[in-house]
Amino acid sequence: MDNDTLDFIAYSTVQPSICTSGLFRSLVNRYISIGYTLTRGIPYPISAPTNILHTETEIDAAIRHACDFSRRRRILNLWRASFSFALHLAQPTPDVITWTLFVWRDIFFHADPDRTEQHAREVLNAVTIAVEMLPTYYGCLATLHYPPTVEQVLNGNISRLYPINYFGDQLLAQIGRTRLEQAPAWLNVDVGQGRLIVPDLNAIYQGDT
């Protein structure tokens, strides 16, 4: 867990992978359709023309790079207006792909205080789109507490609720769908093939307890 970022880490166990199936490309297209731009990751100025990936060829190359697990740096950077986030893929075991959606804390916390809740909603919206489109077994936004390990996730050993939580249908059946559906929360809804639970919107930027 990086102290410089807010990380939503998710686990996918569905084959074919989100890369070879084209789902990752579809996710990027969805973000682009709502106004996000793919960038090269240069922080300032983000909107510089040389930082923007303009063509389909450039975007496809960036996605291939992100899906190449032999490379060390595999990050897709997305930006619109005053908000940006990034996506990173990893493969901790042969049968599991993790995808992480992260936001830099300095962008999130050094913004206009009036926009803090707006940025929390931006994080939630980006996560909601991702879990809706990608086959996700489990995901959580870990701030003060570390996320569960791959082994804990696969064994259904989820001991707490984080500021944002996603339980895929298979994990819901293992843990107990009714119990999670009845958990008190600011948001508790079906999304994609699972359940999205946000106990408290403020916790996204104040931290989990």
Side-chain angles (χ1 to χ4, degrees), residues 65-82:
H65 185 104
C67 288
D68 184 352
F69 296 120
S70 68
R71 297 176 179 266
R72 292 187 61 187
R73 187 170 178 81
R74 303 180 305 278
I75 297 174
L76 283 181
N77 299 279
L78 294 112
W79 166 82
R80 73 176 181 186
S82 63

Side-chain angles (χ1 to χ4, degrees), residues 18 35 39 56 66 112-113 118 129 137 167 174 179 183-184 190 197:
I18 59 178
T39 78
E56 292 295 311
D112 181 341
Q118 175 188 337
I129 291 171
Y137 187 81
F167 298 85
Q174 186 176 356
R179 178 166 66 91
D190 287 326
I197 302 175

